[in-house]
Amino acid sequence: EVQLVESGGGLVKPGGSLRLSCAASGFTFSSYSMNWVRQAPGKGLEWVSSISSSSSYIYYADSVKGRFTISRDNAKNSLYLQMNSLRAEDTAVYYCARDLNIAAAGYDWGQGTLVTVSS
Amino acid sequence: QTVVTQEPSLTVSPGGTVTLTCASSTGAVTSGYYPNWFQQKPGQAPRALIYSTSNKHSWTPARFSGSLLGGKAALTLSGVQPEDEAEYYCLLYYGGAGVFGTGTKVTVL
């Protein structure tokens, strides 16, 4: 059974940093591209970042470019999101999601971790 | 900044048909944008329904179908069931970066 379990969320002050993790199991993690997607309270989905299976290709939404860094450790079956210079508008539930292939996004999703940016 | 626009809300009767659309601010949506569709119910993570315009996942009910319609990506629900009441999002890809649509709330009434 595929499992994606996010962790690392919490309350952080504006300007602060946080590192999210996503532990993957039930599939060959090193073979798939992975994504971070967020959802602010009561709002829609926002694609944040993606990383290819070997970390060769990395993409970011304009809203987080230069502040967030996506990475992965295939030996540990883990995906990460380093978030710096956090703003109130970064407050959201952050989901990690696996792509099946280049055309099939978000095949599997975690349950999300809540990040709250507030003073 | 690229914006992907969906109808904010649609209402459909049980057994009826409804079509949701997904428009790009950059112009016509083509298969090259790899349109994906997701369903999200309150308190749940999204669930993939359609990928690459019209392909269904193994769990996608037959009543859901995807297409390109008038320069937009489209999701059609035929023979709507009460359990189809949910928020629906499209996702388009622009050179590797994804952009979700604004979402459509489908009410079954």
Side-chain angles (χ1 to χ4, degrees), chain A residues 37 39 43-47 50 59 95 99 103-107 109-111, chain B residues 34 36 38 40 44-46 48 51-52 57 59 89 91 93 95-98 100:
Chain A
V37 174
Q39 187 168 35
K43 303 296 184 182
L45 300 175
E46 182 183 10
W47 181 90
S50 70
Y59 303 95
Y95 296 100
D99 288 347
Y107 190 75
W109 294 71
Q111 283 306 301
Chain B
Y34 299 111
N36 282 253
F38 299 87
Q40 188 180 33
Q44 297 182 14
Y51 66 96
S52 194
H57 291 289
W59 57 78
Y89 296 93
L91 172 66
Y93 278 95
F100 277 100

PDB file of all heavy atoms in Angstrom, chain A residues 37 39 43-47 50 59 95 99 103-107 109-111, chain B residues 34 36 38 40 44-46 48 51-52 57 59 89 91 93 95-98 100:
ATOM      1  N   VAL A  37       2.172  20.500  -2.903  1.00  0.00           N
ATOM      2  CA  VAL A  37       0.979  21.272  -3.243  1.00  0.00           C
ATOM      3  C   VAL A  37       0.435  21.821  -1.930  1.00  0.00           C
ATOM      4  O   VAL A  37       0.438  21.120  -0.925  1.00  0.00           O
ATOM      5  CB  VAL A  37      -0.088  20.391  -3.930  1.00  0.00           C
ATOM      6  CG1 VAL A  37      -1.383  21.173  -4.149  1.00  0.00           C
ATOM      7  CG2 VAL A  37       0.445  19.849  -5.251  1.00  0.00           C
ATOM      8  N   GLN A  39      -2.645  24.294   0.257  1.00  0.00           N
ATOM      9  CA  GLN A  39      -4.018  24.776   0.251  1.00  0.00           C
ATOM     10  C   GLN A  39      -4.225  25.656   1.471  1.00  0.00           C
ATOM     11  O   GLN A  39      -4.231  25.162   2.604  1.00  0.00           O
ATOM     12  CB  GLN A  39      -5.002  23.609   0.245  1.00  0.00           C
ATOM     13  CG  GLN A  39      -6.447  24.018   0.074  1.00  0.00           C
ATOM     14  CD  GLN A  39      -7.343  22.816  -0.226  1.00  0.00           C
ATOM     15  OE1 GLN A  39      -7.124  21.720   0.286  1.00  0.00           O
ATOM     16  NE2 GLN A  39      -8.346  23.012  -1.073  1.00  0.00           N
ATOM     17  N   LYS A  43      -9.379  27.885   0.843  1.00  0.00           N
ATOM     18  CA  LYS A  43      -9.002  28.288  -0.510  1.00  0.00           C
ATOM     19  C   LYS A  43      -8.728  27.078  -1.392  1.00  0.00           C
ATOM     20  O   LYS A  43      -8.850  25.934  -0.967  1.00  0.00           O
ATOM     21  CB  LYS A  43      -7.757  29.186  -0.471  1.00  0.00           C
ATOM     22  CG  LYS A  43      -7.919  30.421   0.385  1.00  0.00           C
ATOM     23  CD  LYS A  43      -8.988  31.363  -0.143  1.00  0.00           C
ATOM     24  CE  LYS A  43      -9.066  32.636   0.663  1.00  0.00           C
ATOM     25  NZ  LYS A  43     -10.139  33.544   0.178  1.00  0.00           N
ATOM     26  N   GLY A  44      -8.343  27.345  -2.637  1.00  0.00           N
ATOM     27  CA  GLY A  44      -8.087  26.291  -3.594  1.00  0.00           C
ATOM     28  C   GLY A  44      -6.680  25.723  -3.493  1.00  0.00           C
ATOM     29  O   GLY A  44      -5.865  26.142  -2.673  1.00  0.00           O
ATOM     30  N   LEU A  45      -6.422  24.759  -4.356  1.00  0.00           N
ATOM     31  CA  LEU A  45      -5.112  24.131  -4.405  1.00  0.00           C
ATOM     32  C   LEU A  45      -4.112  25.042  -5.114  1.00  0.00           C
ATOM     33  O   LEU A  45      -4.456  25.719  -6.083  1.00  0.00           O
ATOM     34  CB  LEU A  45      -5.193  22.798  -5.151  1.00  0.00           C
ATOM     35  CG  LEU A  45      -6.113  21.740  -4.573  1.00  0.00           C
ATOM     36  CD1 LEU A  45      -6.170  20.535  -5.516  1.00  0.00           C
ATOM     37  CD2 LEU A  45      -5.656  21.315  -3.199  1.00  0.00           C
ATOM     38  N   GLU A  46      -2.873  25.032  -4.635  1.00  0.00           N
ATOM     39  CA  GLU A  46      -1.794  25.769  -5.288  1.00  0.00           C
ATOM     40  C   GLU A  46      -0.605  24.846  -5.460  1.00  0.00           C
ATOM     41  O   GLU A  46      -0.061  24.332  -4.477  1.00  0.00           O
ATOM     42  CB  GLU A  46      -1.384  27.005  -4.481  1.00  0.00           C
ATOM     43  CG  GLU A  46      -0.283  27.809  -5.169  1.00  0.00           C
ATOM     44  CD  GLU A  46       0.213  29.005  -4.366  1.00  0.00           C
ATOM     45  OE1 GLU A  46      -0.152  29.136  -3.176  1.00  0.00           O
ATOM     46  OE2 GLU A  46       0.972  29.828  -4.942  1.00  0.00           O
ATOM     47  N   TRP A  47      -0.197  24.621  -6.684  1.00  0.00           N
ATOM     48  CA  TRP A  47       1.008  23.848  -6.957  1.00  0.00           C
ATOM     49  C   TRP A  47       2.211  24.652  -6.484  1.00  0.00           C
ATOM     50  O   TRP A  47       2.318  25.851  -6.777  1.00  0.00           O
ATOM     51  CB  TRP A  47       1.087  23.576  -8.457  1.00  0.00           C
ATOM     52  CG  TRP A  47       2.264  22.776  -8.894  1.00  0.00           C
ATOM     53  CD1 TRP A  47       2.350  21.418  -9.011  1.00  0.00           C
ATOM     54  CD2 TRP A  47       3.533  23.288  -9.277  1.00  0.00           C
ATOM     55  NE1 TRP A  47       3.607  21.061  -9.446  1.00  0.00           N
ATOM     56  CE2 TRP A  47       4.345  22.201  -9.621  1.00  0.00           C
ATOM     57  CE3 TRP A  47       4.077  24.578  -9.381  1.00  0.00           C
ATOM     58  CZ2 TRP A  47       5.665  22.346 -10.045  1.00  0.00           C
ATOM     59  CZ3 TRP A  47       5.382  24.734  -9.807  1.00  0.00           C
ATOM     60  CH2 TRP A  47       6.155  23.627 -10.129  1.00  0.00           C
ATOM     61  N   SER A  50       8.020  20.895  -7.811  1.00  0.00           N
ATOM     62  CA  SER A  50       8.174  19.488  -8.188  1.00  0.00           C
ATOM     63  C   SER A  50       9.637  19.161  -8.393  1.00  0.00           C
ATOM     64  O   SER A  50      10.461  20.050  -8.681  1.00  0.00           O
ATOM     65  CB  SER A  50       7.375  19.164  -9.443  1.00  0.00           C
ATOM     66  OG  SER A  50       7.965  19.783 -10.572  1.00  0.00           O
ATOM     67  N   TYR A  59      11.251  22.492 -10.340  1.00  0.00           N
ATOM     68  CA  TYR A  59      10.425  23.636 -10.730  1.00  0.00           C
ATOM     69  C   TYR A  59       9.746  24.217  -9.486  1.00  0.00           C
ATOM     70  O   TYR A  59       9.435  23.493  -8.550  1.00  0.00           O
ATOM     71  CB  TYR A  59       9.355  23.208 -11.740  1.00  0.00           C
ATOM     72  CG  TYR A  59       9.911  22.568 -12.990  1.00  0.00           C
ATOM     73  CD1 TYR A  59      10.014  21.184 -13.081  1.00  0.00           C
ATOM     74  CD2 TYR A  59      10.335  23.343 -14.057  1.00  0.00           C
ATOM     75  CE1 TYR A  59      10.540  20.588 -14.218  1.00  0.00           C
ATOM     76  CE2 TYR A  59      10.854  22.751 -15.206  1.00  0.00           C
ATOM     77  CZ  TYR A  59      10.959  21.376 -15.272  1.00  0.00           C
ATOM     78  OH  TYR A  59      11.473  20.787 -16.407  1.00  0.00           O
ATOM     79  N   TYR A  95       0.667  19.448   1.097  1.00  0.00           N
ATOM     80  CA  TYR A  95       0.572  18.049   0.709  1.00  0.00           C
ATOM     81  C   TYR A  95       1.778  17.643  -0.135  1.00  0.00           C
ATOM     82  O   TYR A  95       2.243  18.428  -0.971  1.00  0.00           O
ATOM     83  CB  TYR A  95      -0.659  17.819  -0.183  1.00  0.00           C
ATOM     84  CG  TYR A  95      -2.003  18.052   0.447  1.00  0.00           C
ATOM     85  CD1 TYR A  95      -2.692  19.234   0.234  1.00  0.00           C
ATOM     86  CD2 TYR A  95      -2.611  17.067   1.220  1.00  0.00           C
ATOM     87  CE1 TYR A  95      -3.958  19.437   0.769  1.00  0.00           C
ATOM     88  CE2 TYR A  95      -3.873  17.261   1.768  1.00  0.00           C
ATOM     89  CZ  TYR A  95      -4.534  18.448   1.534  1.00  0.00           C
ATOM     90  OH  TYR A  95      -5.784  18.638   2.076  1.00  0.00           O
ATOM     91  N   ASP A  99       3.711  11.791  -8.734  1.00  0.00           N
ATOM     92  CA  ASP A  99       3.267  11.715 -10.125  1.00  0.00           C
ATOM     93  C   ASP A  99       3.461  10.293 -10.626  1.00  0.00           C
ATOM     94  O   ASP A  99       4.483   9.665 -10.361  1.00  0.00           O
ATOM     95  CB  ASP A  99       4.080  12.664 -11.006  1.00  0.00           C
ATOM     96  CG  ASP A  99       3.738  14.116 -10.768  1.00  0.00           C
ATOM     97  OD1 ASP A  99       2.717  14.379 -10.109  1.00  0.00           O
ATOM     98  OD2 ASP A  99       4.510  14.969 -11.225  1.00  0.00           O
ATOM     99  N   ALA A 103       2.606  12.780 -17.563  1.00  0.00           N
ATOM    100  CA  ALA A 103       1.255  13.220 -17.911  1.00  0.00           C
ATOM    101  C   ALA A 103       0.255  13.024 -16.779  1.00  0.00           C
ATOM    102  O   ALA A 103      -0.809  13.648 -16.790  1.00  0.00           O
ATOM    103  CB  ALA A 103       0.768  12.470 -19.150  1.00  0.00           C
ATOM    104  N   ALA A 104       0.571  12.187 -15.838  1.00  0.00           N
ATOM    105  CA  ALA A 104      -0.378  11.815 -14.780  1.00  0.00           C
ATOM    106  C   ALA A 104       0.122  12.332 -13.439  1.00  0.00           C
ATOM    107  O   ALA A 104       0.947  11.698 -12.787  1.00  0.00           O
ATOM    108  CB  ALA A 104      -0.572  10.305 -14.730  1.00  0.00           C
ATOM    109  N   ALA A 105      -0.392  13.481 -13.057  1.00  0.00           N
ATOM    110  CA  ALA A 105       0.039  14.140 -11.840  1.00  0.00           C
ATOM    111  C   ALA A 105      -0.781  13.688 -10.644  1.00  0.00           C
ATOM    112  O   ALA A 105      -1.918  13.228 -10.778  1.00  0.00           O
ATOM    113  CB  ALA A 105      -0.099  15.654 -12.013  1.00  0.00           C
ATOM    114  N   GLY A 106      -0.204  13.854  -9.463  1.00  0.00           N
ATOM    115  CA  GLY A 106      -0.956  13.650  -8.230  1.00  0.00           C
ATOM    116  C   GLY A 106      -1.643  12.307  -8.141  1.00  0.00           C
ATOM    117  O   GLY A 106      -2.809  12.230  -7.755  1.00  0.00           O
ATOM    118  N   TYR A 107      -0.933  11.261  -8.486  1.00  0.00           N
ATOM    119  CA  TYR A 107      -1.513   9.911  -8.461  1.00  0.00           C
ATOM    120  C   TYR A 107      -1.799   9.472  -7.036  1.00  0.00           C
ATOM    121  O   TYR A 107      -2.799   8.823  -6.762  1.00  0.00           O
ATOM    122  CB  TYR A 107      -0.560   8.950  -9.148  1.00  0.00           C
ATOM    123  CG  TYR A 107      -1.107   7.579  -9.410  1.00  0.00           C
ATOM    124  CD1 TYR A 107      -2.016   7.352 -10.426  1.00  0.00           C
ATOM    125  CD2 TYR A 107      -0.672   6.489  -8.652  1.00  0.00           C
ATOM    126  CE1 TYR A 107      -2.503   6.076 -10.685  1.00  0.00           C
ATOM    127  CE2 TYR A 107      -1.152   5.213  -8.901  1.00  0.00           C
ATOM    128  CZ  TYR A 107      -2.065   5.011  -9.932  1.00  0.00           C
ATOM    129  OH  TYR A 107      -2.538   3.761 -10.179  1.00  0.00           O
ATOM    130  N   TRP A 109      -1.530  10.970  -2.809  1.00  0.00           N
ATOM    131  CA  TRP A 109      -1.394  12.157  -1.970  1.00  0.00           C
ATOM    132  C   TRP A 109      -1.235  11.754  -0.507  1.00  0.00           C
ATOM    133  O   TRP A 109      -1.798  10.744  -0.062  1.00  0.00           O
ATOM    134  CB  TRP A 109      -2.639  13.033  -2.079  1.00  0.00           C
ATOM    135  CG  TRP A 109      -2.862  13.640  -3.418  1.00  0.00           C
ATOM    136  CD1 TRP A 109      -3.240  12.988  -4.558  1.00  0.00           C
ATOM    137  CD2 TRP A 109      -2.734  15.017  -3.760  1.00  0.00           C
ATOM    138  NE1 TRP A 109      -3.348  13.890  -5.596  1.00  0.00           N
ATOM    139  CE2 TRP A 109      -3.056  15.139  -5.132  1.00  0.00           C
ATOM    140  CE3 TRP A 109      -2.396  16.175  -3.057  1.00  0.00           C
ATOM    141  CZ2 TRP A 109      -3.029  16.363  -5.807  1.00  0.00           C
ATOM    142  CZ3 TRP A 109      -2.380  17.388  -3.729  1.00  0.00           C
ATOM    143  CH2 TRP A 109      -2.688  17.477  -5.089  1.00  0.00           C
ATOM    144  N   GLY A 110      -0.495  12.565   0.230  1.00  0.00           N
ATOM    145  CA  GLY A 110      -0.486  12.426   1.670  1.00  0.00           C
ATOM    146  C   GLY A 110      -1.685  13.142   2.257  1.00  0.00           C
ATOM    147  O   GLY A 110      -2.507  13.707   1.532  1.00  0.00           O
ATOM    148  N   GLN A 111      -1.777  13.126   3.575  1.00  0.00           N
ATOM    149  CA  GLN A 111      -2.895  13.785   4.257  1.00  0.00           C
ATOM    150  C   GLN A 111      -2.601  15.242   4.597  1.00  0.00           C
ATOM    151  O   GLN A 111      -3.495  15.975   4.993  1.00  0.00           O
ATOM    152  CB  GLN A 111      -3.283  13.020   5.518  1.00  0.00           C
ATOM    153  CG  GLN A 111      -4.096  11.776   5.211  1.00  0.00           C
ATOM    154  CD  GLN A 111      -5.315  12.074   4.354  1.00  0.00           C
ATOM    155  OE1 GLN A 111      -6.198  12.857   4.721  1.00  0.00           O
ATOM    156  NE2 GLN A 111      -5.402  11.473   3.165  1.00  0.00           N
TER     157      GLN A 111
ATOM    158  N   TYR B  34      -1.002  18.825 -20.766  1.00  0.00           N
ATOM    159  CA  TYR B  34      -1.288  17.642 -19.950  1.00  0.00           C
ATOM    160  C   TYR B  34      -2.391  17.914 -18.918  1.00  0.00           C
ATOM    161  O   TYR B  34      -2.185  17.742 -17.709  1.00  0.00           O
ATOM    162  CB  TYR B  34      -0.027  17.173 -19.224  1.00  0.00           C
ATOM    163  CG  TYR B  34       1.096  16.780 -20.155  1.00  0.00           C
ATOM    164  CD1 TYR B  34       2.251  17.541 -20.234  1.00  0.00           C
ATOM    165  CD2 TYR B  34       0.997  15.649 -20.949  1.00  0.00           C
ATOM    166  CE1 TYR B  34       3.284  17.193 -21.089  1.00  0.00           C
ATOM    167  CE2 TYR B  34       2.029  15.284 -21.817  1.00  0.00           C
ATOM    168  CZ  TYR B  34       3.159  16.066 -21.875  1.00  0.00           C
ATOM    169  OH  TYR B  34       4.176  15.705 -22.725  1.00  0.00           O
ATOM    170  N   ASN B  36      -4.945  17.687 -16.169  1.00  0.00           N
ATOM    171  CA  ASN B  36      -5.320  16.713 -15.162  1.00  0.00           C
ATOM    172  C   ASN B  36      -6.520  17.281 -14.404  1.00  0.00           C
ATOM    173  O   ASN B  36      -6.654  18.499 -14.251  1.00  0.00           O
ATOM    174  CB  ASN B  36      -4.166  16.497 -14.167  1.00  0.00           C
ATOM    175  CG  ASN B  36      -3.061  15.604 -14.690  1.00  0.00           C
ATOM    176  OD1 ASN B  36      -2.924  14.459 -14.269  1.00  0.00           O
ATOM    177  ND2 ASN B  36      -2.243  16.117 -15.595  1.00  0.00           N
ATOM    178  N   PHE B  38      -8.872  16.789 -10.723  1.00  0.00           N
ATOM    179  CA  PHE B  38      -8.884  16.243  -9.373  1.00  0.00           C
ATOM    180  C   PHE B  38     -10.224  16.557  -8.712  1.00  0.00           C
ATOM    181  O   PHE B  38     -10.829  17.595  -8.973  1.00  0.00           O
ATOM    182  CB  PHE B  38      -7.754  16.858  -8.529  1.00  0.00           C
ATOM    183  CG  PHE B  38      -6.393  16.580  -9.078  1.00  0.00           C
ATOM    184  CD1 PHE B  38      -5.838  17.424 -10.029  1.00  0.00           C
ATOM    185  CD2 PHE B  38      -5.668  15.481  -8.655  1.00  0.00           C
ATOM    186  CE1 PHE B  38      -4.584  17.172 -10.560  1.00  0.00           C
ATOM    187  CE2 PHE B  38      -4.415  15.212  -9.179  1.00  0.00           C
ATOM    188  CZ  PHE B  38      -3.873  16.055 -10.134  1.00  0.00           C
ATOM    189  N   GLN B  40     -11.955  16.927  -4.847  1.00  0.00           N
ATOM    190  CA  GLN B  40     -11.647  17.073  -3.428  1.00  0.00           C
ATOM    191  C   GLN B  40     -12.933  17.242  -2.641  1.00  0.00           C
ATOM    192  O   GLN B  40     -13.732  18.133  -2.942  1.00  0.00           O
ATOM    193  CB  GLN B  40     -10.705  18.249  -3.167  1.00  0.00           C
ATOM    194  CG  GLN B  40     -10.224  18.301  -1.727  1.00  0.00           C
ATOM    195  CD  GLN B  40      -9.289  19.455  -1.434  1.00  0.00           C
ATOM    196  OE1 GLN B  40      -9.419  20.529  -2.014  1.00  0.00           O
ATOM    197  NE2 GLN B  40      -8.335  19.246  -0.522  1.00  0.00           N
ATOM    198  N   GLN B  44     -10.668  16.192   3.052  1.00  0.00           N
ATOM    199  CA  GLN B  44      -9.898  15.118   2.424  1.00  0.00           C
ATOM    200  C   GLN B  44      -8.827  15.679   1.500  1.00  0.00           C
ATOM    201  O   GLN B  44      -8.931  16.804   1.011  1.00  0.00           O
ATOM    202  CB  GLN B  44     -10.812  14.193   1.622  1.00  0.00           C
ATOM    203  CG  GLN B  44     -11.850  13.453   2.449  1.00  0.00           C
ATOM    204  CD  GLN B  44     -12.685  12.512   1.609  1.00  0.00           C
ATOM    205  OE1 GLN B  44     -12.354  12.202   0.460  1.00  0.00           O
ATOM    206  NE2 GLN B  44     -13.794  12.042   2.166  1.00  0.00           N
ATOM    207  N   ALA B  45      -7.824  14.858   1.260  1.00  0.00           N
ATOM    208  CA  ALA B  45      -6.836  15.208   0.238  1.00  0.00           C
ATOM    209  C   ALA B  45      -7.479  15.066  -1.145  1.00  0.00           C
ATOM    210  O   ALA B  45      -8.463  14.344  -1.311  1.00  0.00           O
ATOM    211  CB  ALA B  45      -5.630  14.283   0.343  1.00  0.00           C
ATOM    212  N   PRO B  46      -6.950  15.763  -2.127  1.00  0.00           N
ATOM    213  CA  PRO B  46      -7.479  15.614  -3.487  1.00  0.00           C
ATOM    214  C   PRO B  46      -7.290  14.186  -3.991  1.00  0.00           C
ATOM    215  O   PRO B  46      -6.419  13.450  -3.518  1.00  0.00           O
ATOM    216  CB  PRO B  46      -6.631  16.595  -4.302  1.00  0.00           C
ATOM    217  CG  PRO B  46      -6.111  17.567  -3.304  1.00  0.00           C
ATOM    218  CD  PRO B  46      -5.893  16.768  -2.043  1.00  0.00           C
ATOM    219  N   ALA B  48      -7.011  12.103  -7.768  1.00  0.00           N
ATOM    220  CA  ALA B  48      -6.879  12.246  -9.225  1.00  0.00           C
ATOM    221  C   ALA B  48      -8.019  11.526  -9.929  1.00  0.00           C
ATOM    222  O   ALA B  48      -8.388  10.408  -9.558  1.00  0.00           O
ATOM    223  CB  ALA B  48      -5.535  11.698  -9.681  1.00  0.00           C
ATOM    224  N   TYR B  51      -6.156  12.189 -16.341  1.00  0.00           N
ATOM    225  CA  TYR B  51      -4.836  12.686 -16.676  1.00  0.00           C
ATOM    226  C   TYR B  51      -4.671  12.776 -18.184  1.00  0.00           C
ATOM    227  O   TYR B  51      -5.365  12.105 -18.943  1.00  0.00           O
ATOM    228  CB  TYR B  51      -3.729  11.825 -16.049  1.00  0.00           C
ATOM    229  CG  TYR B  51      -3.645  10.409 -16.590  1.00  0.00           C
ATOM    230  CD1 TYR B  51      -2.755  10.078 -17.601  1.00  0.00           C
ATOM    231  CD2 TYR B  51      -4.446   9.398 -16.056  1.00  0.00           C
ATOM    232  CE1 TYR B  51      -2.668   8.785 -18.099  1.00  0.00           C
ATOM    233  CE2 TYR B  51      -4.377   8.102 -16.541  1.00  0.00           C
ATOM    234  CZ  TYR B  51      -3.478   7.796 -17.552  1.00  0.00           C
ATOM    235  OH  TYR B  51      -3.395   6.523 -18.032  1.00  0.00           O
ATOM    236  N   SER B  52      -3.761  13.646 -18.598  1.00  0.00           N
ATOM    237  CA  SER B  52      -3.461  13.829 -20.020  1.00  0.00           C
ATOM    238  C   SER B  52      -4.755  13.978 -20.844  1.00  0.00           C
ATOM    239  O   SER B  52      -4.989  13.211 -21.790  1.00  0.00           O
ATOM    240  CB  SER B  52      -2.625  12.649 -20.521  1.00  0.00           C
ATOM    241  OG  SER B  52      -2.045  12.947 -21.779  1.00  0.00           O
ATOM    242  N   HIS B  57      -8.059   7.084 -14.448  1.00  0.00           N
ATOM    243  CA  HIS B  57      -7.351   6.180 -13.564  1.00  0.00           C
ATOM    244  C   HIS B  57      -8.241   4.961 -13.318  1.00  0.00           C
ATOM    245  O   HIS B  57      -9.435   4.966 -13.626  1.00  0.00           O
ATOM    246  CB  HIS B  57      -7.008   6.883 -12.258  1.00  0.00           C
ATOM    247  CG  HIS B  57      -5.972   7.957 -12.422  1.00  0.00           C
ATOM    248  ND1 HIS B  57      -4.649   7.670 -12.691  1.00  0.00           N
ATOM    249  CD2 HIS B  57      -6.062   9.302 -12.373  1.00  0.00           C
ATOM    250  CE1 HIS B  57      -3.970   8.807 -12.782  1.00  0.00           C
ATOM    251  NE2 HIS B  57      -4.812   9.816 -12.596  1.00  0.00           N
ATOM    252  N   TRP B  59      -9.563   3.849 -10.774  1.00  0.00           N
ATOM    253  CA  TRP B  59     -10.656   4.077  -9.829  1.00  0.00           C
ATOM    254  C   TRP B  59     -11.670   5.115 -10.307  1.00  0.00           C
ATOM    255  O   TRP B  59     -12.651   5.383  -9.619  1.00  0.00           O
ATOM    256  CB  TRP B  59     -10.080   4.521  -8.487  1.00  0.00           C
ATOM    257  CG  TRP B  59      -9.219   5.745  -8.601  1.00  0.00           C
ATOM    258  CD1 TRP B  59      -9.611   7.047  -8.734  1.00  0.00           C
ATOM    259  CD2 TRP B  59      -7.780   5.762  -8.624  1.00  0.00           C
ATOM    260  NE1 TRP B  59      -8.537   7.869  -8.831  1.00  0.00           N
ATOM    261  CE2 TRP B  59      -7.392   7.120  -8.768  1.00  0.00           C
ATOM    262  CE3 TRP B  59      -6.799   4.787  -8.542  1.00  0.00           C
ATOM    263  CZ2 TRP B  59      -6.051   7.501  -8.827  1.00  0.00           C
ATOM    264  CZ3 TRP B  59      -5.476   5.170  -8.608  1.00  0.00           C
ATOM    265  CH2 TRP B  59      -5.112   6.512  -8.746  1.00  0.00           C
ATOM    266  N   TYR B  89     -10.802  20.449  -9.410  1.00  0.00           N
ATOM    267  CA  TYR B  89      -9.693  21.295  -9.850  1.00  0.00           C
ATOM    268  C   TYR B  89      -9.046  20.715 -11.094  1.00  0.00           C
ATOM    269  O   TYR B  89      -8.814  19.501 -11.172  1.00  0.00           O
ATOM    270  CB  TYR B  89      -8.617  21.392  -8.766  1.00  0.00           C
ATOM    271  CG  TYR B  89      -9.059  22.052  -7.490  1.00  0.00           C
ATOM    272  CD1 TYR B  89      -9.556  21.307  -6.430  1.00  0.00           C
ATOM    273  CD2 TYR B  89      -8.966  23.438  -7.329  1.00  0.00           C
ATOM    274  CE1 TYR B  89      -9.974  21.914  -5.254  1.00  0.00           C
ATOM    275  CE2 TYR B  89      -9.371  24.057  -6.151  1.00  0.00           C
ATOM    276  CZ  TYR B  89      -9.880  23.285  -5.132  1.00  0.00           C
ATOM    277  OH  TYR B  89     -10.277  23.887  -3.962  1.00  0.00           O
ATOM    278  N   LEU B  91      -5.505  20.950 -13.501  1.00  0.00           N
ATOM    279  CA  LEU B  91      -4.087  21.270 -13.362  1.00  0.00           C
ATOM    280  C   LEU B  91      -3.496  21.276 -14.765  1.00  0.00           C
ATOM    281  O   LEU B  91      -3.658  20.306 -15.511  1.00  0.00           O
ATOM    282  CB  LEU B  91      -3.380  20.234 -12.495  1.00  0.00           C
ATOM    283  CG  LEU B  91      -1.855  20.310 -12.405  1.00  0.00           C
ATOM    284  CD1 LEU B  91      -1.424  21.589 -11.698  1.00  0.00           C
ATOM    285  CD2 LEU B  91      -1.298  19.094 -11.664  1.00  0.00           C
ATOM    286  N   TYR B  93       0.158  22.191 -17.111  1.00  0.00           N
ATOM    287  CA  TYR B  93       1.603  22.315 -16.984  1.00  0.00           C
ATOM    288  C   TYR B  93       2.159  23.302 -18.015  1.00  0.00           C
ATOM    289  O   TYR B  93       1.816  23.256 -19.198  1.00  0.00           O
ATOM    290  CB  TYR B  93       2.279  20.960 -17.149  1.00  0.00           C
ATOM    291  CG  TYR B  93       2.245  20.169 -15.870  1.00  0.00           C
ATOM    292  CD1 TYR B  93       1.238  19.240 -15.633  1.00  0.00           C
ATOM    293  CD2 TYR B  93       3.188  20.399 -14.873  1.00  0.00           C
ATOM    294  CE1 TYR B  93       1.195  18.549 -14.438  1.00  0.00           C
ATOM    295  CE2 TYR B  93       3.140  19.704 -13.665  1.00  0.00           C
ATOM    296  CZ  TYR B  93       2.137  18.775 -13.459  1.00  0.00           C
ATOM    297  OH  TYR B  93       2.085  18.101 -12.277  1.00  0.00           O
ATOM    298  N   GLY B  95       5.715  24.268 -19.208  1.00  0.00           N
ATOM    299  CA  GLY B  95       7.159  24.062 -19.209  1.00  0.00           C
ATOM    300  C   GLY B  95       7.677  23.418 -17.942  1.00  0.00           C
ATOM    301  O   GLY B  95       8.750  23.775 -17.453  1.00  0.00           O
ATOM    302  N   GLY B  96       6.920  22.517 -17.381  1.00  0.00           N
ATOM    303  CA  GLY B  96       7.364  21.803 -16.192  1.00  0.00           C
ATOM    304  C   GLY B  96       6.731  22.292 -14.908  1.00  0.00           C
ATOM    305  O   GLY B  96       6.645  21.542 -13.922  1.00  0.00           O
ATOM    306  N   ALA B  97       6.303  23.535 -14.888  1.00  0.00           N
ATOM    307  CA  ALA B  97       5.659  24.078 -13.687  1.00  0.00           C
ATOM    308  C   ALA B  97       4.152  23.926 -13.811  1.00  0.00           C
ATOM    309  O   ALA B  97       3.577  24.184 -14.868  1.00  0.00           O
ATOM    310  CB  ALA B  97       6.024  25.542 -13.508  1.00  0.00           C
ATOM    311  N   GLY B  98       3.524  23.524 -12.738  1.00  0.00           N
ATOM    312  CA  GLY B  98       2.089  23.317 -12.758  1.00  0.00           C
ATOM    313  C   GLY B  98       1.330  24.528 -12.250  1.00  0.00           C
ATOM    314  O   GLY B  98       1.865  25.320 -11.465  1.00  0.00           O
ATOM    315  N   PHE B 100      -2.696  25.107 -10.855  1.00  0.00           N
ATOM    316  CA  PHE B 100      -4.049  24.610 -10.623  1.00  0.00           C
ATOM    317  C   PHE B 100      -5.064  25.656 -11.051  1.00  0.00           C
ATOM    318  O   PHE B 100      -4.814  26.863 -10.963  1.00  0.00           O
ATOM    319  CB  PHE B 100      -4.268  24.299  -9.146  1.00  0.00           C
ATOM    320  CG  PHE B 100      -3.765  22.951  -8.722  1.00  0.00           C
ATOM    321  CD1 PHE B 100      -2.551  22.831  -8.076  1.00  0.00           C
ATOM    322  CD2 PHE B 100      -4.505  21.804  -8.965  1.00  0.00           C
ATOM    323  CE1 PHE B 100      -2.072  21.584  -7.684  1.00  0.00           C
ATOM    324  CE2 PHE B 100      -4.046  20.551  -8.580  1.00  0.00           C
ATOM    325  CZ  PHE B 100      -2.819  20.450  -7.939  1.00  0.00           C
TER     326      PHE B 100
END
